[in-house]
Each structure stands twice: as structure tokens, then as C-alpha cells.
Amino acid sequence: MKRILLAVGLLGAGHCAHAQAASPLTARLDKVSLRVALGPDRRPTYSVFYGPNEVSLRQEGMVKGPKEVIKPSRLGLSFADGNGFDGPLVMVGSETKDVDETWQPVWGEVKSIRNHYQQLTVHLRQPAADGRKMDVVFRVFADGVGFRYEFPRQTRLQYFTVQDEHTEFNLPANHKAFWIPGDYDSNEYTYTTSRLSEVNTTPIEPIQQKADPKRVQTPLMLKSDDGLYVNIHEAALVNYPAMFLNVNTQTFGLSSQLVPDATGTGAKAYLQAPEHTPWRTIVVADNAPAVLASKLILNLNEPSKVAETSWIKPQKFVGVWWEMHVNRASWNYADTSNIKLAGTNWNALKNNGHHGANTANVKRYIDFAAAHHIPGVLVEGWNVGWEDWANNWKEEVFDFVTPYPDFDVDELQRYAAGKGVKLIMHHETSSSVTNYERRQDAAYRFMQQHGYDAVKTGYVGRIIPRGEHHDGQWMVNHYVRTAQRTADSRIMVDMHESVRPTGLHRTYPNWLANEAARGNEFNAWSSGNPPEHETILPFTRLMGGPMDYTPGIFQIKLDDWNPARNQCKQVHTTLAKQLALYVTMYSPLQMAADLPEAYNQHLDAFQFIEDVPVDWDDTRILAAEPGDYLTTVRKAKGKDEWYLGAITDENARQQAVKLDFLTPGQRYEAIIYADGKGADWQKNPMAYRITKQTVTSKSVLKLQLAPGGGAAVSFKPVK
Amino acid sequence: MKRILLAVGLLGAGHCAHAQAASPLTARLDKVSLRVALGPDRRPTYSVFYGPNEVSLRQEGMVKGPKEVIKPSRLGLSFADGNGFDGPLVMVGSETKDVDETWQPVWGEVKSIRNHYQQLTVHLRQPAADGRKMDVVFRVFADGVGFRYEFPRQTRLQYFTVQDEHTEFNLPANHKAFWIPGDYDSNEYTYTTSRLSEVNTTPIEPIQQKADPKRVQTPLMLKSDDGLYVNIHEAALVNYPAMFLNVNTQTFGLSSQLVPDATGTGAKAYLQAPEHTPWRTIVVADNAPAVLASKLILNLNEPSKVAETSWIKPQKFVGVWWEMHVNRASWNYADTSNIKLAGTNWNALKNNGHHGANTANVKRYIDFAAAHHIPGVLVEGWNVGWEDWANNWKEEVFDFVTPYPDFDVDELQRYAAGKGVKLIMHHETSSSVTNYERRQDAAYRFMQQHGYDAVKTGYVGRIIPRGEHHDGQWMVNHYVRTAQRTADSRIMVDMHESVRPTGLHRTYPNWLANEAARGNEFNAWSSGNPPEHETILPFTRLMGGPMDYTPGIFQIKLDDWNPARNQCKQVHTTLAKQLALYVTMYSPLQMAADLPEAYNQHLDAFQFIEDVPVDWDDTRILAAEPGDYLTTVRKAKGKDEWYLGAITDENARQQAVKLDFLTPGQRYEAIIYADGKGADWQKNPMAYRITKQTVTSKSVLKLQLAPGGGAAVSFKPVK
């Protein structure tokens, strides 16, 4: 560790600006470099560059210097008590250290992850001699920079309220951006691709409530005209609100906007020192695949807090779920509105005749899962309260322990166990989180008593505590607490409508996945997801962690399920692309989302879903461009098997895939699940063709992707 | 039941006002009568009268008509959706019925309670033919009126948000009022006695935050110049915010002000039909004792929801508590600030040497309790987190299950059980209610495992969920839910810093008491409670239910405990008055609040505390005037023993008490605990004299009360 005690700090505040300007603090790893300085106003700023350093430049005779990734940008926070770090500061000192280590995730895209960075810690103090102290800690990786604010233990700063964070990300030019509107309560939007100067959320229909027209969410994916790919997000979001970004459409500056709390005072976070903010992350690369391969966000998260992890099992599942979306069944048991949880005699209600979570129907899914080696069966709508659960801002909405009269929880426990299948619990909260929190203990005991070891939670609607937001500090703490509480009960968790993830699945490996984006389900009851959607998600939402996207829809045109109600709704991909998503959309928890009767029509195609793993030793991004295409190949955990997914947007593409990732000298059987002749997401989505080839590492596969199409390939060694 | 289908309702909206004016709806019981009418603006109004009706007047040749108690006053509510009951309404019909029944409380001031009223139900509708419907239900008792709004099940009104309640209580004159400021988060104020025209809370130092200068709290006690005593409050406050009163100092009208929620939208209550508001109560009598004897509020509450009540035990208790108030001990274990609940090694903290809740000290209280037949021992500060628990708006503040290192919970369980004493649990929440709610299950399990069957809860500070108020709907639901949850675990509960009670101890008889007013403790660390305070509380705060006032302080001057820190603090009564409070301040839960060493100096006086029951077969208010004096006598449950308490304000008084409540022909030994010669709350508070007399129902006791003094008497039959 190098320790640099800055002379400027010792000279005192009056000399800082000048001295500082002369010698900014720097850190670098490979092509990424960082400068930190006090500006003329003695506020700290940072800037980030990508490219060879000046020494290399001279040595190599290069003429062009490193590219500016982030222009000098403000750092700082203001506090509710007025005594924050938003004014002039003194740089008291700094340290750097180099770290190079590797660690093994409990599950993931790769077996082992290198954590290699140079760290620069800058010690700041308010100008008064006894002023409050704050550090900014930067970590410079080969693929980007992370930094956070840290508040050491100190007498003059114990409990404090963050009123605003002033972190800026000033971009040097009018980059292309892939963005969704800054809704503090939802991220279920399609992405808009535009120049930063064109950001305007006004025409977009809100999912919950949009804020400023120039406010967008992270992960924000950017591409510069000179070929840099930049992704801005955060890591390890704990005890702090999510960061949104206000876009200055004229200067191309981004400034952080924290989600406010319920008080209406503009307060953002209630903290107690020692404490720190989440890491602000900037991933940068000169090619798109490198962004997807980045482990920067995971590396900035803490190691697992779950000591014994053998019970955590990445898995596929089917479920009583899509049949509700396609209007073949209902979550609710009775077609009665205005139900009260307390005092209702559920046995006296009239069964509407199409309640999905009935014992016989669930057995059908268990049978299908058992026959096809799918470990899990999700059942939604099993518990009382669905008659008018949504949009009423109702606190006593579900109790999480009372099954509907036609759901025989004991019988299904016995039946599933007999078939070697696990039922997956569902806890829709209707965003009545206070209600859920006071019932969580009982709900998890109920799960343990009935053989459930995984739960899908949901947060549809407006939050209770009323006035709080899905992405505010209070809810962030709820999600993290729920990850911890489920871990304490040896329960895996998949959260829907939560804040978007920030790599916390490293710390809580039982937190398998989140929704927190616009999933496949939107195809069932909205204008749907455009064919490019799944080529953007990995560059945005998935940068923070796995998504329960619910791929695998085979019955692409939904009219066939219920023409009267589905009215030309359809999934906006081909069938083959649905298969490819199991590889391109990484998740340790993957649903085979369609109905058993849909799969039974296409068991040859279903074979890929049955075969494809959910945990991996290696991953290679073979080709990628956000909004256009993505080809990914992954090596199965502990096996010499590879699985490839290739997808395209609305344009047909040919992908020539070199198979040099395969073990040299080994022959493999490749089963290729490709778009069929004339396939087209809109006109002919279900045409697919399955072929087999024997290949080696020297082979090249030519994949033809239809408009909105894709291809999936399994490679198994030939014995 | 009489059913009156109003012609005016059938004639339609256009004719209502005229027809209505001609024939208001009425109800009456004894001297109390009610009129309900649509005003010229077709909004409903009610008025209340006290006195003989016109028929009696004529028959009896009286010249003065009934006195106006409430002048015509508005009824109505507005909703957030704009479609409320604040505009013109149609009176669709009405019904009356007469009820006369008696019921037995699980515990109380009397053995049996008569519930005798005439009920008038007025059916209202919005003017449109398919308009929403609302009923107003009035109950007229011999001692007042209660009414509430009811929303029957209907298609057009299911989920709705009450934006404001427009109930008025228009008083006919400039009454004398006993009031405290309208702080939505505290009722711990001394009372101001003033004319309504003089209400102004501005000069009063806020406990939490005051609102409008002319806003006061209920129960509001009023006295008219022509001798009427009027008390305005509410009954059965469930799923609704508390009602405050805005005083019009010129017209003497009071208008209801509900406590808002956290959203900042002014929303007050989120309701789902069928639902109703709490009862608005007006107790009226021509003498002060009748107000105190009123059971109107209890009668308007629902019967017990706790089916099996044998485990509910009214009781006295001592506790590790007052020694903290007098600065002899601390709640906290270490003198360290800035503690985090998670991750702190409590065993590594340095014991400050004066932590009250240490095993040896608790055993001292157990020994004292066992020696004096006191069933309970409260211990505050037993659990980790007190180092900086208050004023930080900190969510993770207590866990309710981790004892400090010097509190041996298992040893104390064993020791207390061996002595036949029960420890009373303490759950200070620091108003971090979300934290408490998510830990309540575990906390009550911990209690059951360690032999606790009663808990004192506390809500000091600002509420989390942030933005909510102590007296808002969300917290009201929390208190009620806590009563239910503790009942489910067979736990008795005593809530401090809660909303003031409204008779719900009838429905939840395990909810033994509340603080919810300015208790004895204020004498230890503020300007204290003036000597009149305890003569006002029964007319205000206690109208809603029992208070854990913590009487029984013998060491009146607190300097003696810690001169350096207590600085002339003292209790503002004589010692004898402290004894009298056990009778005048009814509660099934009474603390003997002082330290054992204080009691050991005065065991002769302590005998009264040891003797006095906490549950009664009968109660008589012998003399009372709010702000001046109160003499109450009560008959012990199931015994022919009587206990009398007499208290005065700052003025000395002589009370001649006729003992005609005693069983005729029976001789009793009266032990009289009176102020001693020269006693004075300020100059000589601890002078007392204990005398014995044999008395019968024909005797008259002359009690001499010192300034700020009192007297307590026990009457036991001479065998």
C-alpha cells in the first residue's frame, strides 16, 4: 500500500485550490485511469479516461491520447442539517492500494472471478479544523471505475440525513443512450434509444408515476460516436435509495437523483456513521461484449453472508402463472369484489370455475415437471385475498398462510414430494409491505412446514407505508432484509416489482433473481416488448443481476388461448428465440413459462429447455450490440457441455459462430434449434427447425436468425 | 323497533329542505334529547338538549325549557375522490329503537354496566338516484349522545379515502374548557383552564409538534355558566385517525380535525365499505360526579373479542423504572453513544456501573414485591439498544429479545417464579414501529418462553413509518393490532405514548392501560404536574380508559436521590395524596412507582398500597369538580371492603364524607392515611398521619386535605 500524505492538505484550506490543481490524485489499471482533484471552488471532482497512458503513448509513438469517459464531475452530498459535504472541502490525505484476487461465486456465469483493481481513498474534511470527515473511495478496474462515499466513525457525525447526493457523470459528447423513464416505483418500461440531447420521457405512458421529463434510470447504457461503450449504475445498494439520473440535454451531464422518502421534506437517506453509500459504477470498454462480461459490479459487492449454501439450488421451474396472463384461468377464486381478509368465510364463496391454483391443475404441472426434470412448480393465486387485491392501497390484503378452499396444501405437499418436485411459494404483497413484514415470520414458518424452499415475492401497486417508493431507502432495506430473513429460514427468493438489482446476489446467494424490468409477461396484455428488447436488457437491467424474465413461450400467438380477451396479443419473438433467451438472459432461476399443453405440442423443442443448465463454469459473449443482437455461449457447471443462444432484433441476421471455445480435439454433437424457413416474429413465429451436427473446436456454425428470431444450440461431447 | 319512512325522502331532493324543517327527527332518553335535520343547504345537522321535555315542562308547570348542549351542528365527510358526503344530501329514511341491557366487564370500576339508549338511524344518500349511501347512527343515553357514520355495503362505494370529517360541536356559549394543545404526536401536556374564547396554544412548549394555535385534543371537558358539564370525545377508535377539535374562539363552535397520514395529500383514512367511523361522544350532566360515573363510552364499544379471559389479571406492580427517572440508574448499559444494533458485541461494551436492569437489582425488586404481595415487577432497560435509542429517528433500534450482559433472563425467570412474582416485559419501540412490528412475533415468543405474561410498550419520539403520526390511522391500527396480537399470545398490554384510549379495553380486556397523558414521571424532569393535574385527568384523559399514571411516590423531594442532577425537582403532591390516587385514578394496572428503599422508610403508609385493590364491584364519586377536587370510594371485587381517595388541588380543603355507602349495620375499621399536621405539597409534602376508627354507614368522616394534598381510607368489616 502506498500512502500519500498530501502536502496540500497540510498547507491548509487557503492554498488547496492552487496546489491541488497542480497535482491531481490519480489511479489507473490497464487502459482505465482516474483523476481526482479539488476544483477552483474547492469542491472535489473526478474524471475518467480510457486508453493508453501518456508514457505508453510516447513509447508507442501514438498520436491520440486517452479518450475522456467522464469529464470533471462533481462529488458531494448535502445533509438535512445543512452541515454536509456540498461546499468547499479540504483534502486531508489519500492512499492507494492494489488488489488482485479471485473468488468463487456460489453460482454464476463463470466458475471463478478475478477482482483486480487499484484503490484510491481520498480523505476529505469540512474546512473548519474540527469539521466533519468523509472519504471517497475509488476502485479502478480494467473495465471501469467504482466509487463510494464513506463516513468514518467520528464524534461530529453520528446520525445524519442525506438530503441530496450531488454526484455527477459529465459525458464528453452527445452519446447514444438506451434509457427508461425515471419512475421511482417501476422499471417495467421498454427502452428508448436516443441521443442524450433527445431524452424526454413526456410521451411515455407511466407505469406508476414518472418524475422529471429528463430523469432516467440506471443501469444506463451509453455508446459514444468514437466507439466507447459506457454503462452507469450502482453496486451494493443497501440502506440507501436507488440512484436515478437527471440528464442535462445540452451539456450531456448526468446528475444523481436519489429517491425521496415519505416525509415530503425531500429527505433521501437516514444514516448512522460509520456508514457508506452504494458504489457508483462506470463500466467502460471499446467493445460491447466486454461490457456484458464485466464483473465490476459483482466485485464491488460484499462476499456471501450466507455461510452454508448447499441448500441454495439454481433451478428451472414451471408454474400456474401464464395461464392467468392468457386469460385461461384466474388468480382469484371467486368473482366477488370488495373482500375483507378478516371475517370472510372463504368456504362460502362461490368458486368462479376457472381458478388456476386448484389442486388438480397444480398436479398437472407437477406431473409435467417430474416428466421433464424441472425441479420447481410455482403456484400463484393459491392464497386467499385475490378478489380485489390490486389498486386499492389496501393494507390487510393477504395473509400468506390461508389457501383457497380448492388448494389442498397438504395433499400437494405429499404429491409433489412423491414426484421429486418442489412447489415454489408465491407471496404477492400488493405493495402492502407493512402487512407483509408483520406476517413474514408466520409465512416462512408455513413454508417450512409445507416443504417450500423458494418464494417469489411481488410488489404490485403503491407502497404501504404510504408515501414511500419502491426504490426509496425504506423499501431498499425491506428487500435486503427479506433476503436475509429468507436466508435465515433457508429459503431462496425471487423478487418481482422490486428495485433493480445491484449485484447483491453475491452477498445473498439465496436471492436468486429479480424481475425489476419489463418481463415477457407484458406481451400478454400490453403493446408488448419490441423484438430488440431482449438485446438491450443484458446491457441495462441485467448489469445488476439475474432477471426472472420468464422465457419459453411456445404458443406465440395468444389469441389461440382466449380469442375474445387476448385480441391479437402475441409474444414479439419467434419460438426459437424463446429458447435462445435461456442462454442470452443469464439467471440461476429460469421459468419454462408456457402451459404444459403448449409444450406437449412441441416436445422436440422443449428438449432444449430440459437440457439447458442454469449454472455455469464459463461464459463467452461472442457477438453483441445493444438494440441489435447478442450471441452468448456458456459452459455447463462441471461438464464439458456448451449451450449457445443467439438473438436478433426485428432484423434478420446471419451469425457465423466459430466454435473455438470447445475443447480442442473433442467431437461434440451440436443440436441446433433454429428459426424455420420463413420464420418471422410477427408473421410466422412458430416455424422452427431442429438439426444435429457433429462439430469440433475448428468448426464454424452458420446461424440464420429470422426477423425477431434466434437460435439455441447445445453441444455435448460425443463419447 | 319503530320504522319511519320519511315522506321527505320520497318527495325528492327539491322538497327536502322545506319538509325537513317542519319535522326534524328526534330521539330522547330521560333528560337528554337529540334533533336531526337537513339544513337549508340540505346538509344534515344535529343538536342536543339537556332537561325536561316539553310535555314534562307543561305537566310540571316549569318555565325554563331544556338547555341547549349542542346547537345545530354540521355532519358530513369529504372523500379524496370528491364524491363524499360533504354536500347536499337526501334523507332516505330513518329508524329508531330502544335498547336496555346490562353487561359485566372482565374488570372495571363496577360489577355490572347498564346500556340503556334510544337509537336513531338516519339513512342518507347523495342527491343522484344512484348516489352513494351513508347512515348516521345516534344513540341517546341518559348521560349523553354518541353518533357515528356508517357506510353500508354498496356497489358505488367500496374503497374510499376520507379526506376530512366535517362534524361540528357548536356550543351555545363561552364555556370554561380544560384543554391541551392539538399535538398529533403527544398528549403529555398539563391542562389549561380557560374560556373557549381564550384558547391559544401558542405559548405552550411543544412536546412533539403542535399544530394550529386553536386546536385542542379530546376528551375535552367543558363547563357552562348555567351548570352543565359537557365532555366531548370518541369511542371505539379503530381503523381511523384520532379526532382533534378546532376551536372557533368567536362562535364557540368546535369542528373535528382528523390526523393526516404521511402522504402529504391531506388524506385521513383509507376505508373499505362496509365500515364505520368511531363514535363521537358527548357526555352531559348537571353535576360533575355524573360525568365521571358515565359508562357511555364503554357502552359504545364492542364486547370482548377475547373469549377466554381467565388469564387476564388486574394487578399492581413495582419496577426498575423510577430510579432511572431520579438519576440513580440508567436504562443503558454502557455510556457509549452511536451504537448499532447489528454487529455490536454487547459483551465487549463497558458497563457504566449504574445500569438499573442488572440481575441483583431486579432481585431486590422481586424480593420487595414478594414481601408485599405485589404480583408484578417491571424491568426497563433490560434489552440492548438503549445507548442512543431516542431522537435519532433510527429504525433498527431494539430487537426485544437480547438482554444486556448483566441481565440474566433465565436466572430471573427462575428466581421470580420461586417467589411467586411475575416479571413484566418492557418493549420501548422508540416509535420505530415498523421495526417493532416485524419483531413482534419473536418478541412475544421470547416472553412466553421466559414466563412473562404482560408487556409495557412505549412509543417515544417520531414515528417510523416516517411521516405518520402517533394519532393517525396507521398507528391507531397498530395499537389495536397489538392488543389483538398480545391477546392471541395471552399477554396483557400497557401502552405508553400511544393515542389516548376510547374505551377499547372493553373489547380487548387484555389491554389493561395506557399512558397517553402527562404522567407522574414529568415531576422528575420537567416543571412537573401542577397539584390540580390529577383532579382534571379523570374528566379528560381517563374518560377513555385507565391510565398507568404510576402513583405512589413517597420520596417527594427528588434532590435526595441525586442532588446534582435533580436540582429541586419534586412531585407536586403530598405523600398522602399519592396514596389517594390509587382510588381516584382508576386503573386495573397500578404501579407502586417508588424505590423499595423509599417504601421501606414508610411501610406504615405503604400498607395502603399493599391493601388497595385494582378491581372493583362498585364505585361512587362522592364529590368532584374538575381542577379543584375529587373524592371517590370503591368497593373491592367480591369483598365488603371499601377504599376511599380524596384529593385536592393547590388549595387546602375539608371534606366531610358520609359513609352511607357502607353496609348498614356492619361495623368497619377505617384506616385513614391523611396529610399530617402542617403538610403542604411544596413545603412539607411528606407529613402524614395514619389513624384508625371504627365506623358504620351512619358515620361521617372529616378529612382535612393539605394544599396539594389528599387522603386515603380503607374500610374493612370488623368481624
Side-chain angles (χ1 to χ4, degrees), chain A residues 159 274 340 388 394 437-438, chain B residues 159 274 340 388 394 438:
Chain A
Y159 293 91
K340 293 190 182 190
D388 53 354
K394 176 181 181 174
E437 289 207 336
R438 68 177 76 102
Chain B
Y159 294 90
K340 293 191 182 189
D388 53 355
K394 176 182 183 175
R438 69 178 75 101

Side-chain angles (χ1 to χ4, degrees), chain B residues 376-518:
Chain B
V377 175
L378 169 73
V379 187
E380 296 203 1
W382 70 277
N383 60 321
V384 300
W386 287 92
E387 278 65 24
D388 53 355
W389 66 283
N391 304 321
N392 297 316
W393 226 3
K394 176 182 183 175
E395 185 154 11
E396 299 281 315
V397 54
F398 293 112
D399 72 3
F400 312 101
V401 295
T402 307
Y404 276 123
D406 61 346
F407 183 86
D408 187 335
V409 66
D410 294 317
E411 166 63 11
L412 286 169
Q413 178 176 10
R414 192 195 59 73
Y415 191 82
K419 297 256 178 178
V421 167
K422 286 255 185 194
L423 289 173
I424 297 177
M425 174 52 68
H426 184 231
H427 289 166
E428 173 55 49
T429 66
S430 190
S431 286
S432 176
V433 185
T434 48
N435 176 61
Y436 186 44
E437 288 206 338
R438 69 178 75 101
R439 298 176 189 273
Q440 272 177 301
D441 279 2
Y444 299 151
R445 278 199 302 277
F446 181 90
M447 285 180 61
Q448 291 172 322
Q449 286 157 3
H450 293 90
Y452 293 79
D453 66 357
V455 60
K456 171 181 170 179
T457 62
Y459 299 91
V460 171
R462 284 186 293 176
I463 297 292
I464 304 177
R466 294 191 182 88
E468 295 289 351
H469 293 291
H470 282 71
D471 292 359
Q473 183 192 26
W474 196 88
M475 281 300 295
V476 162
N477 284 342
H478 167 77
Y479 307 125
V480 174
R481 198 185 302 117
T482 296
Q484 182 66 60
R485 284 174 87 156
T486 48
D488 292 344
S489 300
R490 292 186 152 228
I491 289 171
M492 294 169 273
V493 63
D494 167 24
M495 300 187 197
H496 281 231
E497 298 90 20
S498 65
V499 71
R500 73 285 187 277
T502 57
L504 284 165
H505 53 293
R506 177 179 178 188
T507 310
Y508 301 99
N510 65 309
W511 192 348
L512 294 183
N514 289 69
E515 183 184 46
R518 190 175 175 102

Side-chain angles (χ1 to χ4, degrees), chain A residues 107-119:
Chain A
W107 43 259
E109 296 180 89
V110 294
K111 192 179 187 172
S112 179
I113 294 173
R114 183 180 183 190
N115 183 27
H116 184 198
Y117 60 86
Q118 184 169 69
Q119 177 167 303

Side-chain angles (χ1 to χ4, degrees), chain B residues 60-96:
Chain B
E60 295 166 28
M62 291 172 74
V63 285
K64 277 184 74 178
K67 293 174 180 170
E68 218 170 12
V69 178
I70 303 290
K71 296 200 299 179
S73 294
R74 187 176 171 193
L75 298 164
L77 302 103
S78 53
F79 292 171
D81 68 6
N83 192 8
F85 294 93
D86 46 343
L89 298 175
V90 178
M91 230 182 236
V92 180
S94 72
E95 294 127 34
T96 61

Side-chain angles (χ1 to χ4, degrees), chain B residues 196-217:
Chain B
L196 285 169
S197 60
E198 296 157 355
V199 167
N200 175 19
T201 70
T202 308
I204 298 170
E205 195 187 347
I207 299 289
Q208 290 237 2
Q209 45 191 331
K210 292 181 304 177
D212 188 283
K214 296 184 179 173
R215 186 168 301 152
V216 299
Q217 302 199 34

Side-chain angles (χ1 to χ4, degrees), chain A residues 217-233:
Chain A
Q217 301 199 36
T218 76
L220 177 66
M221 188 65 213
L222 300 157
K223 184 180 178 185
S224 75
D225 286 346
D226 58 355
L228 281 190
Y229 294 80
V230 178
N231 183 283
I232 297 175
H233 188 36

